Amino acid sequence: MKGNVSEKARLLHMLDAIRLIQEFTAGLTYEQYMQDMKLRLALVKLLEIIGEAANFVTKDTQNTFTEVEWNTLYVVRNILVHEYFGINYDIIWQAIIDKIPTLKIKVESVLQQLSIDNG
């Protein structure tokens, strides 16, 4: 199944997860985030999806679009999956606030450039 998903679909999965993260956290305070365990677990899952999808973007695309930290996204996914007992929700919140908006712009740019190149 993993090999049957197109590169564009992987990037769209990343973008969908990013949009959901932004939707779920829009207007929230840190305190509201910390009080909602279901929300925190949903956000972790969405970050895992981003990392998993990033891992299956082809090496050619990764090498062409080096502004996206593909490997870091997958490393974060691995930490969230395998070190689940040690997740630091403060770091997750900061990443959502500081990194997700920029990641969205970068992934949108990659999708646009791939669409232009593939006509």
Side-chain angles (χ1 to χ4, degrees), residues 9-107:
R10 298 272 184 197
L11 292 163
L12 289 171
H13 289 165
M14 292 175 70
L15 198 53
D16 287 343
I18 290 166
R19 287 182 180 143
L20 286 171
I21 289 169
Q22 291 182 316
E23 178 183 322
F24 292 173
T25 58
L28 282 185
T29 65
Y30 171 78
E31 290 75 22
Q32 290 169 315
Y33 158 79
M34 286 303 290
Q35 290 173 1
D36 190 340
M37 178 56 90
K38 288 184 220 176
L39 172 65
R40 287 186 283 147
L41 293 173
L43 295 171
V44 165
K45 181 61 179 177
L46 291 167
L47 292 170
E48 291 173 6
I49 289 168
I50 292 168
E52 185 70 9
N55 186 53
F56 286 96
V57 170
T58 65
K59 294 301 175 194
D60 285 344
T61 296
Q62 289 182 19
N63 291 334
T64 300
F65 299 99
T66 57
E67 66 275 10
V68 178
E69 296 173 335
W70 306 102
N71 191 54
T72 299
L73 295 171
Y74 189 65
V75 167
V76 168
R77 175 254 181 226
N78 284 343
I79 291 168
L80 294 173
V81 169
H82 299 293
E83 303 295 330
Y84 59 89
F85 51 85
I87 294 173
N88 184 326
Y89 289 101
D90 293 335
I91 293 172
I92 298 294
W93 179 254
Q94 274 318 124
I96 288 168
I97 299 303
D98 295 340
K99 303 289 186 185
I100 288 295
T102 304
L103 181 60
K104 180 181 178 189
I105 292 166
K106 291 176 182 179
V107 173

